[in-house]
Amino acid sequence: MRFAIFADSPAAAAIAERTAPTAGGQLLRHASGRPWIVGHWQPADVIATSAGRHRIALLGCTRIDARTLPDTLGRARTLQELDALARTLPGAAHLVASVNGRVRAQGTVTGVCQIHYTQVDGTTIAADRPDLLAAMTGAGLREDLLARQLLAPLIPYPLGERPLWQGTEKVPGNSYLELTPDDAHRVVRWWTAPEPDLPLVQGAERLRSALHDAVAARTHLADTISADLSGGMDSTSLCFLAGDRGPARLVTHLWGARDSANDDQTWAEQAAAALPGAEHVVTHPDDLPLWYEDLMTPTEDAEGPFAWIRTQAQQLAQVRQAVAQGSSHHLTGHGGDELFAALPTYLHTLARTSPRSAWRLTRSHAAMFRWKSGPTLCALADNRSYGTWLAAAVDDLAAPPPRNSRPDFGWGVSFRMPAWATPDAVETVRGMLRDAALTEPLAPQRGQHLALEMAQECGNTIRRVSRMTSSLGVAWHAPFVDDRVVEAALSIRLLDRAETAQYKPPLAAAMRGIVPDRILGRPTKAEFSAEAYAGLRRHKHHLAELCDHLHLADKGLVDPDAFRAGLLGLHPGSLTMIPLDATLACESWLRSVTTTAPSPALPGGHR
């Protein structure tokens, strides 16, 4: 799916006509008859209706009562009156409305759906992806932003908010874009993170309802859907919900692990035995591509670097397997760790709101991570604002990654530039961090901010994964990063989310009675360093050959000899491989946008 959105004005209509649909393109019109939404989508991807001169379209995956949408639209007099509708939609979909000549365009809070905009001949045009807008204007890359793509393990908010294409801007997930008849625009905030004030029992009920609706929004889309059944609590919960929400035939997939100590398969087999109505497919690891395979194959997605590039070839192999099973929609448990893990950062807020409980939980974390009491108390006492915390990261940007034994209750995950980044690249990112010193966090509490930031990071990646897999015929869905599910999870008290006596207590409470208790009580969690080591061992010499002609080196961002040393050197732990991913993703993307056509296809099929 790809589309552009136009204001109800003569100037916008003239621009839309230049990108009018041809050969399979679609067009929705304003009540005036002018073009409104121009693009390509499947019929099942769009719910559109009208009420008088008002129009609304939901593009993506959602469900709504056939009478609710026109009734709500008919009562609306302003775009703001659609806030209530936006707060109830399950699934993940763009909401685009035309009310009294004004257009509202929004994505999702977590970024699974996004809206971008730019100026074309003085008129604001919106689209679901920035490279589509760049194709309209002939814009090139924002090379001044490339240095931030080297940050690992993630790019901190708000450094990643600017698109990599010149002249384009992203609408924040908590806001919508308003297009006016005089070709102007404004960004309007409509969403704020919920307060974490619900006790576990009430919060679990809300979470259970949200997850039911999220899965039901997918199971009605096709006769057959597939789903990961890794053995972890997240994917297992979705499989039991999908098996309960019919009418689709469910095919579960387990991809075997290389490490004999990985007990995922044991737990997945127990879950499969309790899902007799589903079909279960198990794939041996030798039948899948290794990690780090075919990283430099050009892709059609020109938005930006792909975060999960190390597993890209394996992902595509899994898609082809799903297609062979007759699936066109696949469920994955990604996003569960981001929402339900007992983040140490929660302790910072609890130390101020529930000191007795905070002390008990801090001792538990300290025992697990071998924290010393002095550094732990100092970290808890830190009261820096988000902007000050970002600015302070300037000093550590080129330092080695912090050790796990060092307590960290900061606003986010500690990030670093890799050892092969040039001094100019490091200094560029330092400037970005200083410029962000006045940034407000995504939520007032540190833990709430971090959970939302990680959910958005996951949502951004799922959007890109689904774009890639949909080209092969399978849409990828991560219900845990649906807005309603995220809201429900973030509404639960931090004290209940920080508990370490049980694994992921909010999800376990929500799934009680749906997933067997013995599975909810799993005391272990698998890790996949064996896959990382095997893949890098097989492909590192091929990857090192890239250093002879690195695009990133040509742009002065990476020292090729230092990067080659990072690829060929020893990695005492798999975490030291993470900085490789960001650099390889950026290099692969740069090669794609310079070796493929200079601009992506416009909504109507033109270039």
Side-chain angles (χ1 to χ4, degrees):
M1 179 169 60
R2 64 182 187 273
F3 57 88
I5 305 165
F6 300 89
D8 192 0
S9 73
I15 297 169
E17 292 298 335
R18 298 205 298 265
T19 58
T22 63
Q26 290 101 329
L27 170 65
L28 298 178
R29 295 185 180 274
H30 291 283
S32 64
R34 297 186 182 109
W36 173 34
I37 306 175
V38 178
H40 280 274
W41 53 77
Q42 297 298 320
D45 292 337
V46 177
I47 301 172
T49 192
S50 61
R53 296 185 59 79
H54 298 173
R55 302 286 186 270
I56 193 167
L58 306 175
L59 300 98
C61 168
T62 190
R63 293 189 78 183
I64 190 167
D65 184 271
R67 296 167 296 181
T68 299
L69 202 56
D71 287 350
T72 301
L73 183 63
R75 291 193 301 269
R77 294 296 176 265
T78 66
L79 296 176
Q80 188 176 4
E81 292 179 37
L82 296 176
D83 286 3
L85 172 66
R87 291 190 178 98
T88 61
L89 291 174
H94 298 86
L95 186 158
V96 186
S98 177
V99 174
N100 292 327
R102 294 177 176 269
V103 173
R104 172 173 176 156
Q106 69 183 68
T108 59
V109 172
T110 58
V112 177
C113 301
Q114 285 187 352
I115 294 292
H116 297 81
Y117 61 97
T118 193
Q119 293 284 309
V120 180
D121 299 333
T123 298
T124 303
I125 308 298
D128 67 325
R129 57 185 75 183
D131 47 302
L132 184 57
L133 296 171
M136 292 183 178
T137 61
L141 300 181
R142 285 287 307 272
E143 295 196 7
D144 58 318
L145 297 180
L146 288 177
R148 76 179 189 198
Q149 300 301 137
L150 304 179
L151 283 165
L154 54 77
I155 302 172
Y157 173 83
L159 269 62
E161 293 294 285
R162 297 289 301 279
L164 287 164
W165 292 92
Q166 293 176 3
T168 63
E169 298 292 342
K170 189 186 87 171
V171 179
N174 59 17
S175 303
Y176 64 80
L177 179 70
E178 179 178 344
L179 302 178
T180 61
D182 59 357
D183 299 313
H185 73 273
R186 66 176 183 140
V187 175
V188 182
R189 180 165 183 171
W190 71 277
W191 187 91
T192 56
E195 286 294 319
D197 53 11
L198 285 184
L200 183 59
V201 173
Q202 294 173 254
E205 290 179 1
R206 182 177 175 183
L207 178 59
R208 182 186 301 114
S209 177
L211 283 169
H212 265 297
D213 292 345
V215 173
R218 277 82 179 185
T219 53
H220 81 286
L221 294 173
D223 294 332
T224 298
I225 63 169
S226 53
D228 293 340
L229 183 56
S230 69
M233 190 186 296
D234 306 323
S235 65
T236 300
S237 296
L238 296 182
C239 287
F240 276 90
L241 287 168
D244 183 52
R245 301 302 289 176
R249 162 179 166 253
L250 175 63
V251 181
T252 71
H253 289 259
L254 169 66
W255 293 278
R258 295 184 176 276
D259 187 352
S260 59
N262 186 319
D263 61 346
D264 269 357
Q265 185 161 344
T266 300
W267 290 94
E269 289 171 351
Q270 291 187 37
L275 283 166
E279 299 177 35
H280 305 287
V281 178
V282 180
T283 304
H284 192 275
D286 290 342
D287 295 328
L288 287 169
L290 288 171
W291 289 13
Y292 297 103
E293 188 166 316
D294 294 333
L295 299 195
M296 298 299 137
T297 301
T299 67
E300 295 182 1
D301 184 3
E303 179 180 325
F306 180 54
W308 293 352
I309 191 167
R310 68 160 76 171
T311 59
Q312 179 174 276
Q314 191 172 99
Q315 188 92 49
L316 292 173
Q318 293 170 354
V319 173
R320 296 184 183 99
Q321 190 178 69
V323 170
Q325 296 295 325
S327 172
S328 58
H329 296 271
H330 186 89
L331 303 182
T332 177
H334 288 293
D337 287 345
E338 289 81 351
L339 292 181
F340 306 119
L343 301 178
T345 305
Y346 293 151
L347 301 177
H348 185 273
T349 300
L350 290 174
R352 289 149 179 79
T353 59
S354 305
R356 182 173 298 179
S357 298
W359 174 243
R360 173 179 62 83
L361 292 170
T362 299
R363 292 178 63 189
S364 175
H365 279 80
M368 286 191 294
F369 299 114
R370 299 181 180 180
W371 294 339
K372 295 182 178 179
S373 57
T376 300
L377 292 174
C378 288
L380 284 174
D382 175 32
N383 279 326
R384 288 176 295 179
S385 68
Y386 181 61
T388 304
W389 177 81
L390 274 180
V394 166
D395 298 331
D396 295 328
L397 201 56
R403 295 172 298 174
N404 286 340
S405 58
R406 172 186 169 186
D408 186 357
F409 307 119
W411 284 91
V413 177
S414 295
F415 51 88
R416 297 287 191 272
M417 290 290 277
W420 46 84
T422 63
D424 285 346
V426 174
E427 194 55 41
T428 296
V429 175
R430 282 182 173 142
M432 294 180 187
L433 290 170
R434 294 188 186 101
D435 291 342
L438 298 179
T439 299
E440 291 295 323
L442 296 170
Q445 306 92 349
R446 292 190 180 191
Q448 200 81 326
H449 165 88
L450 177 56
L452 183 54
E453 181 180 38
M454 294 194 304
Q456 289 182 340
E457 179 75 10
C458 182
N460 287 331
T461 306
I462 290 297
R463 179 185 72 257
R464 305 289 302 284
V465 170
S466 188
R467 193 178 293 166
M468 174 180 70
T469 62
S470 293
S471 66
L472 297 178
V474 180
W476 225 250
H477 301 274
F480 284 114
V481 287
D482 285 0
D483 287 355
R484 305 290 82 78
V485 176
V486 170
E487 288 172 343
L490 295 184
S491 296
I492 297 173
R493 294 185 307 183
L494 296 181
L495 178 59
D496 296 317
R497 286 150 59 186
E499 184 58 64
T500 57
Q502 181 184 9
Y503 186 55
K504 297 183 178 179
L507 182 59
M511 292 295 100
R512 194 77 61 195
I514 299 173
V515 178
D517 285 350
R518 66 179 183 278
I519 296 176
L520 293 177
R522 177 182 176 178
T524 61
K525 180 173 176 60
E527 58 90 36
F528 294 88
S529 58
E531 279 74 9
Y533 280 116
L536 189 59
R537 183 169 56 249
R538 172 75 62 84
H539 298 295
K540 66 180 180 180
H541 291 289
H542 171 68
L543 294 175
E545 292 175 1
L546 300 174
C547 297
D548 295 335
H549 304 286
L550 274 181
H551 286 45
L552 286 167
D554 293 340
K555 297 183 182 301
L557 300 173
V558 164
D559 179 331
D561 293 331
F563 184 48
R564 182 184 287 108
L567 286 165
L568 299 177
L570 297 176
H571 293 277
S574 60
L575 293 180
T576 64
M577 300 181 194
I578 291 177
L580 297 174
D581 295 356
T583 302
L584 290 168
C586 194
E587 178 68 19
S588 175
W589 175 70
L590 283 174
R591 292 177 181 227
S592 289
V593 297
T594 56
T595 59
T596 57
S599 61
L602 292 178
H606 297 296
R607 284 195 180 274

